[in-house]
Amino acid sequence: VRKGQKEKALPLFDEAIEIKSHKKGPLHPDVAFVYLQIGRACQYASDLDEALKYHKLGLGIIAKCLGTGHPFAEKFYIELGTVYALKQMHEEALDNYEKALKIKIAINGPFHPDNVDIYNNMANLQFAQEYYDQAIEYYQKASDILSTLGNADKRHLSIVLNNIGSC
């Protein structure tokens, strides 16, 4: 949803929820996915409180039908972490990123490239709070993973190494 288009999009999202709830029930992952999309639309429109509300609604559905350790829950934890970070609510952001990382590690193992962004987000939070030692720890974990990829992601690795140097 482009900025300024949220008000046009919300009725369409409401209709999607109504249709999916009628067909599949209100506690179906497809309904949660619509809430995820609404939350993102609110986030893009800088309506962070509304974004939190919808991400939490969607996560609640996922928790009830699939459990909080399901891979789909990880997407909600990432979005919640991002919104909390934008609101400067660092502890809440870190808590949600840690939950997302725990799921990612359970699925892919500790050295999977998908973990890099979460480590980087966690490091950025610590850096913003001037917790440089913790930031370096998370940046280093991201760097260690990226180093195992060979030439595949040297640009990303250079960014992470630069971040470590900034601490």
Side-chain angles (χ1 to χ4, degrees), residues 39-165:
R40 286 177 177 161
C42 293
Q43 180 180 332
Y44 297 145
S46 298
D47 191 349
L48 301 179
D49 290 331
E50 282 293 297
L52 284 176
K53 178 179 103 176
Y54 285 108
H55 289 321
K56 287 178 181 180
L57 280 169
L59 179 59
I61 292 171
I62 294 302
K64 288 177 185 169
C65 63
L66 300 174
T68 57
H70 191 274
F72 200 29
E74 175 262 337
K75 295 179 185 332
F76 286 92
Y77 290 128
I78 293 276
E79 294 297 332
L80 284 165
T82 300
V83 174
Y84 279 125
L86 290 169
K87 289 177 62 80
Q88 303 294 310
M89 298 173 73
H90 298 111
E91 293 303 316
E92 292 85 349
L94 187 61
D95 181 54
N96 280 281
Y97 286 143
E98 286 172 344
K99 289 175 183 176
L101 181 63
K102 183 177 178 182
I103 294 168
K104 283 282 194 193
I105 289 173
I107 295 166
N108 300 323
F111 298 106
H112 194 276
D114 286 351
N115 300 345
V116 170
D117 287 336
I118 299 173
Y119 281 126
N120 201 50
N121 290 344
M122 293 166 72
N124 290 340
L125 282 172
Q126 299 297 354
F127 185 85
Q129 298 177 88
E130 300 180 359
Y131 299 146
Y132 300 119
D133 289 341
Q134 292 93 334
I136 289 171
E137 181 182 329
Y138 291 128
Y139 285 136
Q140 189 62 55
K141 287 181 180 185
S143 172
D144 291 346
I145 294 168
L146 290 168
S147 295
T148 66
L149 302 179
N151 288 331
D153 207 348
K154 290 294 185 187
R155 187 187 73 74
H156 202 164
L157 177 59
S158 70
I159 292 168
V160 171
L161 292 173
N162 182 65
N163 290 342
I164 292 172

Side-chain angles (χ1 to χ4, degrees), residues 13-29:
F13 286 131
D14 288 340
E15 187 175 347
I17 289 172
E18 186 177 318
I19 291 168
K20 290 181 185 293
S21 293
H22 180 71
K23 281 186 154 193
K24 299 181 179 187
L27 297 179
H28 192 276

